[in-house]
Amino acid sequence: QCAARIPEAAAVLDLLEKCPEHQQKGGFPVVVFEGLDATGKTTITQSVKDTLNGVLLRSPPACISQWRTIFDDEPAPIKRAFYAAGNYILASETAKASTQAPVIIDRYWHSTAAYTIATEINGEVQDLPPVHDEVYQWPEDLLKPDLVLLLTVDPEERVQRLQRRGLEKTKEEAELEANCLFRQRVEESYRRMVNPACHEVDASPSKEEVLKTVLQLIKKHCAL
């Protein structure tokens, strides 16, 4: 139904159908970086990739990212289906890449889940599904990373970074800025994710300090 109205949806589904089921990770570690915009994900993922001679992947993956703006303007169920499909396509790319080198991922399933939960639930943090609800569980059929790092910065610092970048805001970023409760729901949803959980990293210090902290965590939790 969706493909008849949105031609790009057919292309996304075609790519998804070509992905093997039950992806198996290769012998190299897979590290995911999560966090709101302007928490330093782009900078730190590139630095970690260079340091570890790894492969850098993003969600949504490059093969469908050119259609992101199209799906961002669609109703929430279609938009979320696009990002969910992107995660499974990304898993296929990750399975292949992790046989050759460490894989660094800029956003993955946790982002899709956190933003979906925060959008579907109105109100304050206490209105979110309870801590052990299944919505916070990693999907059984999705390739699991070795480590998930959640970059956080003070809300005021994050807004200043966004202003310095001077980039056009996404709909979700505008919502985060305008709606403090929405931001709190997103961040708390990230913190409630399990199997794997997010390891929180304060991304306020210098790039060098954050990179040092991140590399220590990777060394501790991953076989390198």
Side-chain angles (χ1 to χ4, degrees):
Q1 293 176 335
C2 181
R5 190 170 63 81
I6 312 167
E8 294 81 3
V12 173
L13 291 170
D14 185 50
L15 286 167
L16 187 61
E17 286 173 6
K18 291 176 181 174
C19 296
E21 290 186 35
H22 305 295
Q23 305 288 346
Q24 293 296 315
K25 194 175 74 66
F28 288 88
V30 175
V31 181
V32 174
F33 286 82
E34 295 284 5
L36 306 181
D37 283 353
T39 51
K41 289 190 308 303
T42 302
T43 301
I44 202 71
T45 50
Q46 186 64 51
S47 297
V48 173
K49 176 241 178 192
D50 292 343
T51 304
L52 300 182
N53 292 317
V55 175
L56 177 57
L57 300 175
R58 291 186 173 87
S59 180
C63 59
I64 65 169
S65 61
Q66 71 268 29
W67 303 317
R68 184 175 183 174
T69 53
I70 294 169
F71 286 93
D72 278 350
D73 285 334
E74 291 296 323
I78 295 175
K79 177 181 177 181
R80 293 305 164 198
F82 168 76
Y83 285 98
N87 286 330
Y88 285 87
I89 296 168
L90 177 61
S92 182
E93 295 179 356
T94 302
K96 186 176 179 180
S98 61
T99 64
Q100 304 292 324
V103 179
I104 313 304
I105 302 179
D106 184 343
R107 287 192 169 174
Y108 194 18
W109 179 81
H110 282 40
S111 278
T112 307
Y115 279 89
T116 299
I117 294 163
T119 302
E120 294 296 319
I121 306 296
N122 290 317
E124 302 184 16
V125 166
Q126 58 258 38
D127 297 311
L128 290 171
V131 172
H132 298 296
D133 193 283
E134 63 181 13
V135 298
Y136 304 116
Q137 287 276 352
W138 190 271
E140 290 183 5
D141 61 344
L142 184 63
L143 184 145
K144 193 182 296 184
D146 295 284
L147 180 64
V148 182
L149 300 175
L150 175 63
L151 302 183
T152 61
V153 295
D154 178 80
E156 290 181 8
E157 164 69 13
R158 199 180 66 81
V159 171
Q160 288 174 2
R161 290 184 182 186
L162 279 167
Q163 289 170 344
R164 285 198 296 269
R165 277 171 24 179
L167 300 175
E168 188 178 342
K169 292 174 194 159
T170 61
K171 277 187 172 182
E172 274 171 348
E173 185 49 51
E175 175 75 2
L176 285 169
E177 194 171 310
N179 189 334
C180 177
L181 290 177
F182 179 65
R183 189 191 73 244
Q184 290 172 0
R185 293 198 302 272
V186 172
E187 290 185 324
E188 182 58 27
S189 296
Y190 271 129
R191 294 187 178 107
R192 294 185 183 187
M193 300 294 167
V194 292
N195 191 32
C198 296
H199 293 261
E200 206 163 324
V201 175
D202 180 8
S204 301
S206 68
K207 288 181 279 190
E208 292 76 18
E209 288 179 73
V210 177
L211 178 60
K212 182 179 178 182
T213 300
V214 163
L215 291 173
Q216 286 173 343
L217 283 167
I218 292 172
K219 185 177 180 181
K220 179 181 177 181
H221 293 279
C222 303
L224 279 174

